Amino acid sequence: MELLRPSSADEATAALGNGSVALAGGTELVPLLRDGLVTADKLVHIGAAVPRGIDGTTIGAGTTLAELEADPQIPQALREACSLAASPQLRSMGTVGGNLLQATRCWYWRLGFDCWLHGGERCLAKAGAHREHAIFGNELCASAHPSDVGAALLALGASVRTTQRELPVGDLYRLPTADDRSTTTLAPDELILELDVPVPEASTYLKAMDRRKWAFPIVGVAAVRGNGGIRIALAGVAPIPWTLDGTAALDDATPLPGTAYKVEIARALVRRAVEGIADAAR
Ligand SMILES: Cc1cc2nc3c(=O)[nH]c(=O)nc-3n(C[C@H](O)[C@H](O)[C@H](O)COP(=O)(O)OP(=O)(O)OC[C@H]3O[C@@H](n4cnc5c(N)ncnc54)[C@H](O)[C@@H]3O)c2cc1C
Ligand code: SF4
């Protein structure tokens, strides 16, 4: 396998596609390569091709979660989402761009079973073990998106600048369909360059985990106050980061037998998060 180190986004883009894959911190990609879930002839290290750092409301895609959680310019929901993600070692390597593009943690998928998302006939989790799985958007694939950061950015109304376009962060994602089973809308040769994160009046991120630290979200709730309203987004509840149109929308959840408990956790966390930002600033 060849490792390329392009010095600009244009060079990196030209090198991507056709069996080449972008490598940032490698905390997600390297295990996927090791386990044969991603194959690549060339790795394109984007450290020098993608901006890194924070400038007002602009965040370079190469900024690490550790840098985000420590910066007072960053809205509280995003800082909290970063600080509750993974471990300190992973946060010091893992970038925000890579976090948004992480694959599902569904064990059927990670262990290479021939499930629907891998191109098979059916979702094995629905009939099997699915305690960590989805309560929304789970008709074809019941995986739960693991990105705390994605939910925080969604609630904050962040937008993304790529090498091809500008789009709301929610438009980076799509529910997989029978004719296209991918969960993102990014082209193979498209790079996330920067994020723009508007400053809210107040925001918070709460997370239920199996352990108190260093675990993926069972349910993550981001709540943001601004522009006369409150926006809520959830992690760990659907194959993609999920916008919740108010607490009542939890009544429309479609849990599996083993995920019904997540609806109640989400209800409690949403209530707590909304109460928490009622008077708080940022
Ligand atoms: C044990 C463990 C626990 C974790 N726990 C949590 C958790 O609780 N919550 C949470 O939110 N996350 C968690 N994570 C995920 C972690 O935050 C991500 O692995 C990390 O942020 C990925 O960033 P990276 O730079 O290492 O990405 P890489 O591994 O380098 O890349 C990941 C993917 O993104 C693509 N990519 C990276 N950057 C770009 C870009 N700028 N443009 C286009 N494509 C790009 C790569 O091609 C690859 O497909 C955990 C990870 C591990 C391994
Ligand atoms: S939840 Fe998705 S990834 Fe997991 S077994 Fe079902 S189809 Fe596969």
Side-chain angles (χ1 to χ4, degrees), residues 103-105 132-139 141-147 154 173-176 183 217-220 233-244 254 259 262:
T104 175
R105 306 305 301 191
E132 296 88 6
H133 286 66
I135 58 173
F136 287 108
N138 49 8
E139 197 185 330
C141 165
S143 64
H145 201 276
S147 175
L154 195 56
Y173 300 102
R174 60 186 297 284
L175 281 175
T183 52
I218 290 292
V219 178
L234 308 181
V237 303
I240 56 176
W242 197 256
T243 300
L244 193 73
T254 55
T259 60
K262 283 195 176 193

Side-chain angles (χ1 to χ4, degrees), residues 205-209 217-221 234-237 262-263 265-266 269:
Y205 187 77
L206 302 178
K207 178 175 178 180
M209 300 180 256
I218 290 292
V219 178
V221 173
L234 308 181
V237 303
K262 283 195 176 193
V263 180
I265 291 180
L269 288 187

Side-chain angles (χ1 to χ4, degrees), residues 170-190:
D171 290 355
L172 261 187
Y173 300 102
R174 60 186 297 284
L175 281 175
T177 52
D179 52 353
D180 182 352
R181 301 187 186 192
S182 58
T183 52
T184 79
T185 61
L186 215 66
D189 63 347
E190 185 176 10

Side-chain angles (χ1 to χ4, degrees), residues 209-248:
M209 300 180 256
D210 276 339
R211 291 189 299 256
R212 283 176 70 88
K213 275 184 186 293
W214 310 341
F216 287 98
I218 290 292
V219 178
V221 173
V224 174
R225 175 158 57 81
N227 296 329
I230 288 182
R231 279 192 310 274
I232 300 165
L234 308 181
V237 303
I240 56 176
W242 197 256
T243 300
L244 193 73
D245 292 328
T247 318

Side-chain angles (χ1 to χ4, degrees), residues 124-165:
L124 300 175
K126 284 177 103 166
H130 57 246
R131 185 184 160 277
E132 296 88 6
H133 286 66
I135 58 173
F136 287 108
N138 49 8
E139 197 185 330
L140 295 168
C141 165
S143 64
H145 201 276
S147 175
D148 296 300
V149 175
L153 289 169
L154 195 56
L156 284 160
S159 55
V160 177
R161 186 168 72 82
T162 77
T163 42
Q164 298 183 12
R165 57 201 166 128

Side-chain angles (χ1 to χ4, degrees), residues 104 106-110 113-118 122-126 133 140-144:
T104 175
C106 172
W107 286 115
Y108 292 99
W109 189 88
R110 291 261 162 184
F113 280 85
D114 186 26
C115 75
W116 184 83
L117 200 63
H118 269 315
R122 63 195 178 95
C123 171
L124 300 175
K126 284 177 103 166
H133 286 66
L140 295 168
C141 165
S143 64

